Amino acid sequence: MDALLAVAQAATLVLVLALVYRPLGDYVAHVYTSERDWRVERVLYRLVGVDPRSEQSWTAYVRGVLAFSVVGVVFVYVLQRAQAVLPFSLGFPAVPEALSFNTAASFVTNTNWQSYSPDVTMGYTVQLAGLAVQNFVSSAVGIAVAIALVRGLARRGSGTIGNFWVDLFRGSFRVLLPLALVVAVVLIAGGVVQNFTGFTDVTTLAGNSQALPGGPVASQEAIKELGTNGGGFFNANSSHPFENPSGWTNLLEIALLLAIPLSLPRTFGRMVGNPRQGAAILGVMIVIAVGSLAALSALEAAGAGTAPQLAGGAMEGKEQRYGVLSSALFATATTLTSTGAVNSMHDSYTALGGMMPMLNMMFGEVAPGGVGSGLYGMLVLAIIAVFVAGLLVGRTPEYLGKKIGPREIKLASLYILVTPTLVLAGTALSFAIPGVREDVESTSIWNPGVHGLSEVVYAFTSASNNNGSAFAGLTANTPWLNWALGAAMLLGRFVPIVLVLALAGGLAAQQKVPETAGTLPTTKPQFVGLLLGVTVIVTALTYFPVLTLGPLAEGLS
Amino acid sequence: MSATRTAVRTHWVAIRAMLLFTLVLGVGYTLVVTAIGQLAFPARANGSLVANADGDTVGSALIGQSFTDAAGDPLPEWFQPRPSAAGDGYDAAASGASNLGPENPDLIALIEERRAQVAAFNGVSPQDVPADAVTASASGLDPHISPEYARLQVARVAEARGLPEAEVRALVESRIQARDLGYLGEPTVNVLQLNLALAELEG
């Protein structure tokens, strides 16, 4: 029965996503290759001071990404610090410095980690002008970087990889905004609130008092899922009935957070002139996702562990309307993309069940990953995969007609080293620095024993991979964790982006080498298997030692 | 152009772009969605509020609430919701979960305590108490319980209200919501709406 239900809901999801794959992927490809600017866009470009017809070298593209993101961090930081004097602040005071930095870094990097409880911290102005705007533009930045890399693969002998500002505007206004508008209205129809009334005090049926929250929730929820952001309007995130009221809104939200990342391989295939190249990338993503979902569903349905066994099911931290299976589906989707929204609390999952979201993030957010970041992450792994294949047969590897030389391999290798370094160093420093260790153990960690270590590992994994979900028992609103996780988010986002754009620039400048009998075909199942193996070996296995100390120790003892 | 001048120019573009996005995506988008929501689905956009027979608003159909006395003890004449970790229980201004791990001794003790309490309160055997009755939800505001937990409370509620048990049982059965589309999520009973219907039963 359980297995049947799990398969039925997964099949529905696959069907919905299969239906959007081509139209959405093709549309996005059209958006980023079209020579025509809308009239309103031309006006906006003039206002902002951008020449939409000019092309940028990769260094200029990097400059644009970084300048825009620095401005974003400053902007969100200042808004929070000024909250006391802003309108619609619901009476909340200015947000403290460390927390403001953490939140600014979090939303600009598309992580949307929340060290704070939004219900009692952020007023409407910060939510709208600061956080909702970053939900759009941080996603648009992610797509832009992925598109720039795809252009690098598609172009020959080109000194440029596109125009960052044009890519940013088109992603925001042509892709994300129209989709978010439609989705937000559908969510309201499903019961998600959208108002500016603040708290409504009611006397309950039994005569108690209850303060019902309001707020522009549907508009945030729509872009939060579509842009794989994940920052909840409420502390309970997508488990809050005002964010996710029913079984079908739950499936819709899961479909939304997968829609763009899973359609981007199609965009990639179109832009390099062979959709089957995209289908191969998609194949790897799907194999990982289906395997991960099956594992988590089985582990949570089995409900191992003292507390779940005693309760008769792993229902702590889960909502009745989703139950175990729809919770597991959401948890898998949110951690395989870089969303990090939750409809159930991963901290209370069974020990091995709770390891799966961690493992999903440790894959490097590539199956399918965040909007844009998933695609460029997978393409970097594809470069590693053809390199490995080249080593096996002893010839210079190539991908899509581009030679994978020393420069490409250096950049790709640095790319895959960034997040594991941040995760492991961050976790290690949390326990190695005297003073910090005591603070982490006494203030931050919520659950005793090895589960406490898992909370810290989860936090640094989530921040460095720009996911944003948490073992939420962890009190992250401390100076150390706010600054350390904030730094991990910024480095985990922008170091890989710079490397990807450098890669794009070098690839774009190359001429195409002709295909020969010795060229590894990158559209066949053989390549899918190779890429899958590389993904598992170079990413997830890096973390095996630390997993044995945390969730594996807890689950197998 | 010197490197500094290029950098300064790029940052000015970024600042102007950020202001533009704030206006269009922060303010404009939100206001348009709010306007459509308020015009097309005013009841839902404003929180699916529900009223009792006298027309007083008593809560939201989507947000769970507690049915306890001033001391925080459960009232036998109302169907009881799941345990809640939001504030002191069903505090809608402080949504959240316990976040207690599967081997946490506090959670183990809590579950044992809840199981004993629910069993004694309803006069049933401890092993008949379903999982949702002894675990706190993710939001702390879960408006639902499982059909099993609702059925388990029928005899107690009927006795406390002096109603025929069959009548209360029939009410519960009529209030069971099947899975969405037949297979999404779990079957539920909305506690507030069940209790509202219960209050009207006595008329």
Side-chain angles (χ1 to χ4, degrees), chain A residues 12 48 119 189 194-195 204-205 210-211 219 235-236 241 247-248 306-307 310-311 315-320 326 348 446-447, chain B residues 16 29 34 38 44-45 62 64-65 82 92 95 98-104 115 131 136-139 142 180 183 185 187:
Chain A
T12 310
V48 172
D119 309 27
Q194 180 74 21
N195 60 57
T204 65
L205 200 50
Q210 193 179 36
S219 53
N235 187 42
W248 73 261
T306 313
L310 207 56
M315 282 298 286
E316 183 72 23
K318 295 194 180 74
E319 299 281 294
Q320 176 63 30
S326 295
S348 296
W446 173 241
N447 283 290
Chain B
R16 285 194 294 264
Y29 161 72
T34 309
Q38 290 292 333
R44 279 171 257 188
L62 298 176
Q65 51 182 248
R82 297 179 62 186
S95 63
S98 76
N99 282 308
L100 296 169
E103 304 297 331
N104 191 315
R115 184 175 292 281
S137 61
S139 64
D142 195 339
D180 278 3
Y183 57 86

Side-chain angles (χ1 to χ4, degrees), chain A residues 29-356:
Chain A
H30 169 76
V31 163
Y32 288 98
T33 49
S34 167
E35 300 278 319
R36 296 244 307 271
D37 299 306
W38 293 348
R39 187 168 302 172
V40 56
E41 285 176 339
R42 282 199 290 271
V43 175
L44 298 179
Y45 290 137
R46 206 169 309 137
L47 277 176
V48 172
V50 169
D51 172 12
R53 292 292 111 233
S54 73
E55 284 266 331
Q56 292 174 324
S57 66
W58 76 265
T59 49
Y61 207 100
V62 166
R63 201 158 48 233
V65 171
L66 294 184
F68 185 68
S69 302
V70 166
V71 168
V73 171
V74 172
F75 201 71
V76 178
Y77 181 85
V78 169
L79 273 176
Q80 294 175 83
R81 299 291 295 143
Q83 173 155 267
V85 297
L86 293 175
F88 297 107
S89 65
L90 304 180
F92 297 140
V95 181
E97 281 173 24
L99 180 56
S100 295
F101 164 72
N102 183 280
T103 307
S106 170
F107 278 74
V108 171
T109 57
N110 196 249
T111 310
N112 310 70
W113 170 272
Q114 293 168 300
S115 277
Y116 57 92
S117 170
D119 309 27
V120 291
T121 314
M122 301 295 176
Y124 292 165
T125 303
V126 175
Q127 294 257 21
L128 291 190
L131 309 186
V133 175
Q134 288 303 327
N135 280 353
F136 279 101
V137 295
S138 67
S139 318
V141 168
I143 306 179
V145 172
I147 294 294
L149 178 59
V150 174
R151 286 194 192 113
L153 287 163
R155 289 181 179 183
R156 302 160 195 197
S158 167
T160 61
I161 54 170
N163 181 319
F164 168 68
W165 304 107
V166 173
D167 291 344
L168 175 69
F169 273 63
R170 288 190 179 179
S172 301
F173 294 140
R174 295 195 191 184
V175 180
L176 297 168
L177 182 59
L179 282 172
L181 264 176
V182 174
V183 166
V185 174
V186 175
L187 286 174
I188 298 173
V192 179
V193 298
Q194 180 74 21
N195 60 57
F196 284 95
T197 42
F199 289 98
T200 309
D201 290 309
V202 296
T203 302
T204 65
L205 200 50
N208 302 318
S209 61
Q210 193 179 36
L212 294 170
V217 180
S219 53
Q220 283 253 47
E221 192 74 16
I223 186 61
K224 158 188 146 185
E225 314 292 3
L226 265 175
T228 62
N229 295 286
F233 195 93
F234 300 112
N235 187 42
N237 208 298
S238 294
S239 74
H240 197 293
F242 277 172
E243 288 198 22
N244 190 2
S246 65
W248 73 261
T249 58
N250 188 55
L251 196 77
L252 172 68
E253 291 183 11
I254 296 170
L256 288 175
L257 57 89
L258 291 165
I260 295 178
L262 270 180
S263 298
L264 284 178
R266 172 77 185 182
T267 307
F268 156 69
R270 281 300 293 259
M271 288 179 70
V272 298
N274 182 359
R276 283 165 61 210
Q277 297 288 355
I281 298 286
L282 179 73
V284 180
M285 293 174 169
I286 288 178
V287 171
I288 294 176
V290 169
S292 175
L293 174 64
L296 181 58
S297 302
L299 286 166
E300 286 303 288
T306 313
Q309 286 293 317
L310 207 56
M315 282 298 286
E316 183 72 23
K318 295 194 180 74
E319 299 281 294
Q320 176 63 30
R321 63 192 177 283
Y322 319 134
V324 168
L325 296 175
S326 295
S327 298
L329 181 60
F330 197 110
T332 303
T334 196
T335 50
L336 279 173
T337 61
S338 76
T339 310
V342 293
N343 82 343
S344 54
M345 297 304 155
H346 301 175
D347 213 347
S348 296
Y349 273 33
T350 62
L352 294 180
M355 183 180 72
M356 290 309 300

Side-chain angles (χ1 to χ4, degrees), chain B residues 38-49:
Chain B
Q38 290 292 333
L39 287 173
F41 310 101
R44 279 171 257 188
N46 290 319
S48 307
L49 301 177

Side-chain angles (χ1 to χ4, degrees), chain B residues 81-174:
Chain B
R82 297 179 62 186
S84 161
D88 296 330
Y90 289 94
D91 180 348
S95 63
S98 76
N99 282 308
L100 296 169
E103 304 297 331
N104 191 315
D106 294 347
L107 178 59
I108 293 163
L110 265 176
I111 290 173
E112 279 172 341
E113 190 183 305
R114 287 168 184 159
R115 184 175 292 281
Q117 185 273 328
V118 171
F121 190 59
N122 293 287
V124 298
S125 156
Q127 67 255 33
D128 292 337
V129 178
D132 64 301
V134 296
T135 50
S137 61
S139 64
L141 305 173
D142 195 339
H144 300 116
I145 53 178
S146 65
E148 295 74 40
Y149 189 30
R151 291 186 187 114
L152 180 145
Q153 302 188 54
V154 165
R156 181 205 82 223
V157 171
E159 195 194 324
R161 290 188 169 258
L163 286 167
E165 205 177 303
E167 199 177 345
V168 179
R169 189 169 300 280
L171 182 73
V172 166
E173 295 301 326
S174 73

